[in-house]
Amino acid sequence: MANPYAGEVRVILDGAPHEMRLTLGALAELEEELAGETVLNLIERFEGGQFATRDVLALLVAGLRGGGWTGTAKDLLTVEIEGGLVAATKAAALLLVRSFGPGDAA
């Protein structure tokens, strides 16, 4: 079960639960994926509702990798994310809130 106080968010891939979290290593990989942008740029896009599906995918991969998953973005292209795009987007946004929001964000 995801621990919101540790910044964790649960996502279901092909019926199996996975805990996501943004560790320092996962954030470094995320910024590499963002090609010259920072995580702050990504947060600003989410806050302004100007994010793209590539942003959602990049966040999911980073969070999953921070949670111990060994897959890649290419692997996520072939899995079923329970709840589809809407659930994936909510999980990505919640991951940002739990990682960078107020300490009591649940």
Side-chain angles (χ1 to χ4, degrees):
M1 180 165 193
N3 179 354
Y5 299 106
E8 294 178 350
V9 175
R10 176 172 281 185
V11 65
I12 310 294
L13 305 177
D14 285 336
H18 295 270
E19 310 307 332
M20 299 188 299
R21 84 186 98 187
L22 291 177
T23 62
L24 185 57
L27 287 169
E29 285 184 15
L30 176 59
E31 284 191 337
E32 186 175 316
E33 180 69 25
L34 294 174
E37 293 187 316
T38 67
V39 173
L40 292 178
N41 298 126
L42 181 64
I43 292 169
E44 288 173 352
R45 284 198 298 278
F46 266 83
E47 286 178 337
Q50 300 299 314
F51 58 90
T53 53
R54 67 179 162 75
D55 293 327
V56 173
L57 180 64
L59 266 170
L60 291 179
V61 170
L64 286 162
R65 305 261 308 150
W69 185 67
T70 58
T72 66
K74 193 171 187 176
D75 296 322
L76 275 187
L77 298 177
T78 60
V79 301
E80 179 183 338
I81 300 172
E82 187 175 287
L85 178 60
V86 171
T89 302
K90 286 180 180 179
L94 187 56
L95 188 59
L96 286 175
V97 169
R98 288 188 177 168
S99 298
F100 298 103
D104 61 351

